[in-house]
Amino acid sequence: MSALSFDAGSFVAGVVGGVALAGACCAFKSWGSKPPSAAITTERTKETKVSQASRDREERKSWLRAVGTSCGALLAYVGVMHETVAVIVFPEGPSQFGGPFNWHAFGVALVGYGGWVTQAFLTKRLRGVAVATAAMVPFGAAIVAGCAMNEGVFHYWAFTLSAAGLGASLCARRLLAEEKAATAEDAPKEE
């Protein structure tokens, strides 16, 4: 068995496309956000501390949503690349998938899945996203390992699938925890 070969063309396409999508998602996410107030009072009152803590929490949640949205866009991008470039890079791919129907069904489903994850982060409806995206991690890792052992190649797109799934899952879990903590803090306290 030879050493792992590396396809520089698909690596460059993946990195450039991924960075472009991540940047676009972060820019899109920040369009509606308000910049932090330049005139923050210096008084050390309880209200000011709570207000600053609330702003910090919202800023953290905004960044987590932006990263999660980017991961969802990367998942959809992997589906697009599967449909367009993968047949050129892996010409035997459709036969290994059980035929062209299975091959294209996977690609189209991945585009839809990535769109669903992106939409979930943008609309803040994250129930089920953490579990669903975590399922992509072992799936992509199995493809990477299978290609490395059987064909001696590094499957960059499957690696991106795993990484984006892991990133989206971690962001969704953290956002759900932040929302739960914020709800607990905002609940009226009995005295």
Side-chain angles (χ1 to χ4, degrees), residues 129-152:
V129 172
V131 174
T133 53
M136 286 292 133
V137 178
F139 181 71
I143 295 173
V144 169
C147 285
M149 289 187 296
N150 296 334
E151 299 175 22

Side-chain angles (χ1 to χ4, degrees), residues 64 67-68 71-72 74-75 113 117 121 129-141 158-174:
L64 286 169
V67 171
C71 289
L74 277 173
L75 289 169
Y113 177 74
V117 172
F121 276 102
V129 172
V131 174
T133 53
M136 286 292 133
V137 178
F139 181 71
F159 174 75
T160 304
L161 182 71
S162 289
L166 179 64
S169 179
L170 292 175
C171 287
R173 287 176 54 109
R174 181 63 190 248

Side-chain angles (χ1 to χ4, degrees), residues 52-74:
Q52 183 63 36
S54 176
R55 277 193 295 259
D56 290 344
R57 183 173 51 244
E58 287 302 316
E59 186 175 325
R60 265 194 321 270
K61 286 168 58 176
S62 178
W63 276 107
L64 286 169
R65 280 192 295 274
V67 171
T69 301
S70 299
C71 289
L74 277 173

Side-chain angles (χ1 to χ4, degrees), residues 19-185:
V19 168
L21 280 172
C25 287
C26 286
F28 178 73
K29 192 68 185 149
S30 65
W31 280 348
S33 65
K34 297 177 183 174
S37 174
I40 297 176
T41 60
T42 57
E43 296 176 356
R44 294 291 181 188
T45 64
K46 185 177 180 182
E47 248 179 56
T48 304
K49 289 179 185 177
V50 169
S51 177
Q52 183 63 36
S54 176
R55 277 193 295 259
D56 290 344
R57 183 173 51 244
E58 287 302 316
E59 186 175 325
R60 265 194 321 270
K61 286 168 58 176
S62 178
W63 276 107
L64 286 169
R65 280 192 295 274
V67 171
T69 301
S70 299
C71 289
L74 277 173
L75 289 169
Y77 183 67
V78 170
V80 169
M81 296 308 286
H82 177 84
E83 283 297 305
T84 57
V85 177
V87 178
I88 298 166
V89 178
F90 293 102
E92 70 282 351
S95 65
Q96 291 179 345
F97 251 77
F101 178 79
N102 293 347
W103 176 264
H104 294 297
F106 177 74
V108 170
L110 191 53
V111 170
Y113 177 74
W116 171 71
V117 172
T118 302
Q119 175 266 338
F121 276 102
L122 288 173
T123 60
K124 303 176 188 176
R125 295 184 185 134
L126 297 172
R127 299 285 180 231
V129 172
V131 174
T133 53
M136 286 292 133
V137 178
F139 181 71
I143 295 173
V144 169
C147 285
M149 289 187 296
N150 296 334
E151 299 175 22
V153 296
F154 175 68
H155 198 308
Y156 177 75
W157 302 107
F159 174 75
T160 304
L161 182 71
S162 289
L166 179 64
S169 179
L170 292 175
C171 287
R173 287 176 54 109
R174 181 63 190 248
L175 275 168
L176 290 170
E178 291 272 344
E179 288 174 9
K180 186 176 181 181
T183 304
E185 286 177 11

